[in-house]
């Protein structure tokens, strides 16, 4: 086993580091959950894209660098170490784009991907409904066949970024008479400003509209915006949530950088003994997650699928993130609780980690059944 990076990987790292050093804004952008912050983050996406850093693992034809998974991990390490801004188009880049690469038409890729890469079109994920979260297949929003396309009606919820985003992708029930709930679903893209769409922002604990409810009343979607075959949307959606997502949802770079910041904070406060082991745990956890991810990436490159292993990743990083940010807040004392610091914003967001992208209870069921081979639980 070779644990070293190639010379080409190291050259890529050096190029990324020097670009980021020259371009990362010197003061943090306003929160992307505000109108002003959203616009600033869009402009940052355009700046990244201008030098082909916004989607490094995409083919060059769509603005990427054909960089592959290992260099994507390297880029992410450099990105977070440089303190670069959060990515506003994450849903599009890590969920919709892989779906279009695998299941979209050439016309869809050519039309959708370039404006995603530059942040001109920001995407929201419209999967969840008020009564369809963990049990996504029970979704009720429907699509009815009409000339040249589909009429969508129903309600979606918890759509991150939808308060300011441009377009959304989601699943709709287009055949209500199938024997099983995950059949008869169609995966399609729609415009958040189309006639019939009402976007109602949902405010987070800190008052910022980080999500929205979407109400759809006979919204016309042309056939060209259906991904894959009508009625086969479940299979497509599940493939989106498969291999690459297990790696791409949270790269270790994010946690390595946060653990370093925590360590620096701890040292700046005189290295208090009471928190020594929690800070050490954060440093060790970030490194362990990095190595685990490298191993998964190597297996992925050798043609293996990752499958249920991505549930281990998800449970690990979500619980790790909470422990890390809680340690930072404990170190900061009242200032951490009251001031609108990066750490307090990160803390609020970390609490959602065990819920979004499939709750940790569901992930633990997957681990128990599919990795440990335990009998199915009572459901
Ligand atoms: C910050 C954040 C961002 C989000 N962004 C988006 C987005 O952009 N787009 C989108 O579509 N959705 C989004 N969501 C929604 C998210 O995907 C759902 O909240 C999640 O899937 C859980 O669904 P639910 O809220 O309906 O909870 P429920 O499914 O009702 O679950 C409630 C509780 O019961 C447990 N439970 C349910 N079923 C089982 C079972 N079979 N076995 C064991 N325990 C079970 C759950 O684990 C959970 O603890 C977001 C959520 C959050 C918090």
């Amino acid at each position: 086993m070779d644990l070293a990076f190639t010379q080409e990987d190291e050259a890529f790292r050096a190029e990324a580091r020097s670009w980021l050093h020259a371009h990362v804004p010197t003061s943090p952008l306003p929160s992307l959950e505000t109108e002003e912050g959203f616009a600033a983050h869009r402009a940052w996406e355009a700046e990244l894209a201008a030098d082909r850093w916004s989607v490094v693992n995409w083919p060059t034809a769509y603005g990427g660098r054909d960089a592959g998974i290992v260099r994507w991990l390297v880029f992410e390490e450099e990105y977070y170490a440089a303190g670069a801004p959060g990515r506003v188009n994450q849903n599009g880049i890590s969920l919709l784009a892989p779906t279009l690469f695998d299941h979209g038409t050439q016309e869809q890729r050519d039309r959708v991907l370039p404006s995603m890469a530059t942040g001109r079109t920001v995407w929201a994920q419209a999967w969840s409904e008020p009564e369809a979260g963990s049990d996504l297949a029970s979704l009720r929003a429907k699509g009815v066949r009409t000339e040249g396309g589909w009429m969508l009606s129903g309600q979606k919820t918890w759509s991150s970024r939808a308060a300011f985003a441009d377009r959304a992708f989601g699943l709709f029930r287009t055949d209500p008479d199938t024997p099983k709930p995950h059949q008869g679903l169609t995966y399609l893209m729609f415009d958040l400003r189309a006639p019939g769409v009402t976007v109602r922002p949902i405010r987070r604990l800190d008052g910022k509209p980080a999500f929205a409810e979407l109400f759809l009343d006979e919204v016309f979607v042309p056939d060209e915006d259906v991904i894959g075959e009508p009625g086969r949307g479940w299979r497509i959606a599940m493939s989106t949530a498969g291999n690459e997502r297990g790696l791409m949802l949270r790269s270790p770079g994010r946690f390595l950088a946060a653990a370093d910041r925590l360590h620096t904070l701890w040292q700046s406060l005189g290295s208090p003994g009471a928190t020594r082991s929690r800070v050490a745990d954060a440093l060790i956890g970030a490194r362990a997650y990095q190595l685990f991810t490298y191993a998964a990436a190597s297996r992925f490159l050798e043609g293996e699928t990752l499958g249920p292993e991505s549930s281990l990743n998800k449970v690990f990083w979500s619980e790790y993130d909470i422990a890390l940010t809680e340690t930072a807040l404990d170190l900061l004392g009242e200032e951490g609780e009251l001031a609108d610091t990066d750490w307090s914003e990160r803390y609020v967001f970390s609490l959602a980690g065990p819920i979004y992208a499939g709750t940790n209870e569901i992930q633990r069921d997957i681990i128990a059944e599919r990795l440990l081979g335990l009998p199915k639980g009572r459901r």
Side-chain angles (χ1 to χ4, degrees):
M1 192 191 335
D2 184 2
L3 290 176
F5 287 106
T6 63
Q7 266 184 356
E8 290 79 13
D9 292 338
E10 292 299 356
F12 177 84
R13 182 188 291 282
E15 191 187 348
R17 184 176 293 179
S18 108
W19 189 91
L20 289 161
H21 182 72
H23 289 81
V24 168
T26 43
S27 48
L29 301 182
S31 163
L32 61 76
E33 315 297 3
T34 62
E35 194 163 3
E36 182 202 5
F38 206 86
H41 281 78
R42 240 191 232 276
W44 168 246
E45 292 293 314
E47 196 172 337
L48 283 167
D51 289 325
R52 293 190 299 119
W53 292 111
S54 75
V55 284
V56 293
N57 57 313
W58 288 12
T60 44
Y62 298 112
R65 290 174 174 248
D66 239 333
I69 195 101
V70 170
R71 282 191 208 161
W72 173 78
L73 284 165
V74 166
F75 175 72
E76 290 275 302
E77 282 173 16
E78 294 303 320
Y79 189 86
Y80 286 103
R87 303 292 304 272
V88 69
N89 221 357
Q90 206 60 44
N91 283 322
I93 292 170
S94 61
L95 292 174
L96 180 59
T99 309
L100 290 178
F101 283 126
D102 288 348
H103 304 279
T105 62
Q106 189 62 41
E107 185 279 326
Q108 286 173 333
R109 289 192 278 270
D110 292 346
R111 177 163 50 93
V112 171
L113 296 177
S115 69
M116 185 192 289
T118 60
R120 189 156 43 84
T121 308
V122 177
W123 290 84
Q125 179 199 14
W127 285 20
S128 304
E129 296 184 7
E131 286 169 60
S134 301
D135 183 14
L136 182 64
S138 64
L139 65 89
R140 290 202 293 233
K142 62 179 183 184
V144 175
R145 189 76 192 134
T146 185
E147 205 185 322
W150 300 84
M151 285 294 197
L152 307 185
S153 297
Q155 185 187 349
K156 297 284 179 179
T157 193
W158 307 125
S159 223
S160 300
R161 315 269 154 87
F164 308 113
D166 309 291
R167 306 203 76 206
F169 53 93
L171 284 169
F172 290 82
R173 192 163 296 287
T174 47
D175 181 354
D177 300 321
T178 55
K180 296 204 170 135
H182 56 269
Q183 294 169 346
L185 300 173
T186 298
Y187 200 148
L188 32 76
M189 305 177 273
F190 58 97
D191 203 322
L192 287 169
R193 296 187 193 103
V197 180
T198 305
V199 178
R200 191 192 290 167
I202 303 174
R203 290 185 190 278
R204 207 168 57 175
L205 194 64
D206 60 7
K208 294 177 185 130
F211 329 86
E213 294 177 286
L214 309 176
F215 298 89
L216 299 124
D217 182 14
E218 306 231 315
V219 178
F220 176 72
V221 173
D223 284 328
E224 64 179 20
D225 278 341
V226 172
I227 305 175
E229 247 177 85
R232 306 287 301 274
W234 182 258
R235 197 178 52 89
I236 298 171
M238 289 309 107
S239 86
T240 311
N243 281 335
E244 280 195 304
R245 184 177 176 193
L247 286 177
M248 295 212 158
L249 188 63
R250 286 285 170 263
S251 67
R254 180 189 176 97
F255 301 114
L256 288 165
D260 269 351
R261 276 182 59 214
L262 177 70
H263 187 211
T264 308
L265 172 68
W266 179 74
Q267 284 176 320
S268 74
L269 296 171
S271 308
T275 35
R276 178 185 302 273
S277 64
R278 288 169 70 191
V279 173
D281 280 350
L283 290 165
I284 294 165
R287 180 82 175 125
Y289 182 58
Q290 179 193 36
L291 294 175
F292 184 83
T293 312
Y294 284 170
S298 308
R299 286 199 295 281
F300 186 68
L301 286 175
E302 280 159 17
E304 284 183 40
T305 48
L306 300 180
E309 262 181 327
S310 47
S311 297
L312 283 176
N313 262 29
K314 173 46 251 290
V315 171
F316 182 83
W317 64 249
S318 55
E319 296 188 345
Y320 170 85
D321 201 18
I322 294 176
L324 183 147
T325 38
E326 270 176 357
T327 307
L329 287 194
D330 285 349
L331 280 167
L332 289 167
E334 293 87 353
E335 193 203 330
E337 297 288 328
L338 301 175
D340 200 9
T341 61
D342 282 9
W343 284 113
S344 57
E345 173 137 356
R346 188 183 174 110
Y347 180 62
V348 172
F349 190 63
S350 76
L351 294 177
I355 304 171
Y356 65 84
T359 66
N360 282 9
E361 289 80 7
I362 301 287
Q363 305 309 312
R364 286 196 158 90
D365 269 356
I366 295 173
I367 294 166
E369 289 166 18
R370 296 199 220 149
L371 286 176
L372 301 176
L374 297 176
K376 270 192 185 303
R378 273 183 294 141
R379 289 206 276 280

